[in-house]
Structure formats: structure tokens, C-alpha cells
Amino acid sequence: CMPGTRRDILDTVTAWLQNPDARNILWVSGSPGAGKSAVAASVVDRLKAQGELGSFYVFKQGNATLADPVAVWRTIVHDLVHVPFPSKHDHFHVEFRRRILTLLQGSTFDAGSRDVEAQFEALIQEPMKDLGVSGFPVIVIDALDECGTQSQLEFQMFLRTLVSWSRLPRGFRLVVTGR
């Protein structure tokens, strides 16, 4: 965001991130052109500077890869395992990486599957069970309204994974922007 703009929503996001009792999903909505992506970019910049960003995924309509809901959880897990940003959550990343490696080495998990719910369960939900860490990085998904797929079923499955996110530990926060 330009300096001094969208202060209300940025303050709301900051307050939500600082409230340990808040739900773990924040939905930022608005009409087309309202600046949701600018807000997401500002939030990402702040989180990076604070060492709090875990992953940032942007849907892009018209781009076969970036509009596909099947790519989201794999991309986020990749970021959580490989830590592309400076992070305050080293213990989380080490333990999460260990769990993902165990999953990939010892199971029949199909990494190429288009089953979004199965991906979420195997790659996010299961590794997060009883993780035993005190802090979690924040995930940001921007432009959900640009998620376009030929399969309405895949989009519906992705939406159900967002609902499933609410059952993860409260501290594992997800910011989603969209209409």
C-alpha cells in the first residue's frame, strides 16, 4: 500500500495477528480494485521484516499454474520446508520438515494427485498434529477470487480445506484475500 493508505484494514490485520485468542483465519474481502492485493503485499512485507512469514501464494487468473487450487498446498509446504524468508520460527521449520520427509519417504502419498483435500490432510493437517512448538509462521493467500479451474469440484475441495484450516492450532494463522 502507498504510505498512509488502507490504515484501517492494516491495523485490523495487525490486531488480529497480535490477538492469541483470535480465530486462525482472517478473510480480507472487497470489491474489484479495492486494493486487497496491495493490502496482502503490505502484510507480506511486514511479516517478512518481522521473520513471521511462512508462505505467500497468489492466485492469478489466466495462468494455468497460478490459478490452479491443486498447486496451493504443495507450494506452501515447499516454502515451510525450504524457508525462503528469514524466520523466527526455526524450531517449527525443523520439526515440520522432519515430518514432511518422513511422510514422503515412508508412505504411499501421491504427490501428483489432484485431490486437494488429500493433499491438505497429508501435507498440512497431519504434520501439524501435536507439533509441540510455541510459534508458527503466517501464511498469506491472495486473490482467491482468481482461482480458476476447469473442475468446480477441485475449487470446492480447496474451499473445504480452508474450513479445515480452522481446526489447526490457533497460532497457525492464514490470511486470505478475495471478493
Side-chain angles (χ1 to χ4, degrees), residues 67-80:
D68 187 355
V70 174
V72 176
W73 299 122
R74 289 188 300 223
T75 301
I76 289 171
V77 166
H78 178 271
D79 288 349
L80 292 174

Side-chain angles (χ1 to χ4, degrees), residues 144-164:
L144 180 60
D145 50 295
E146 293 195 31
C147 175
T149 178
Q150 293 179 344
S151 169
Q152 188 64 21
L153 177 62
E154 287 174 350
F155 180 68
Q156 290 171 352
M157 285 192 300
F158 180 72
L159 291 178
R160 286 193 296 269
T161 66
L162 295 179
V163 172
S164 295

Side-chain angles (χ1 to χ4, degrees), residues 23-25 120 161-170 174:
R23 295 176 188 252
N24 64 352
I25 301 174
F120 179 81
T161 66
L162 295 179
V163 172
S164 295
W165 186 281
S166 68
R167 293 187 281 280
L168 296 175
R170 272 192 193 257
L174 174 65

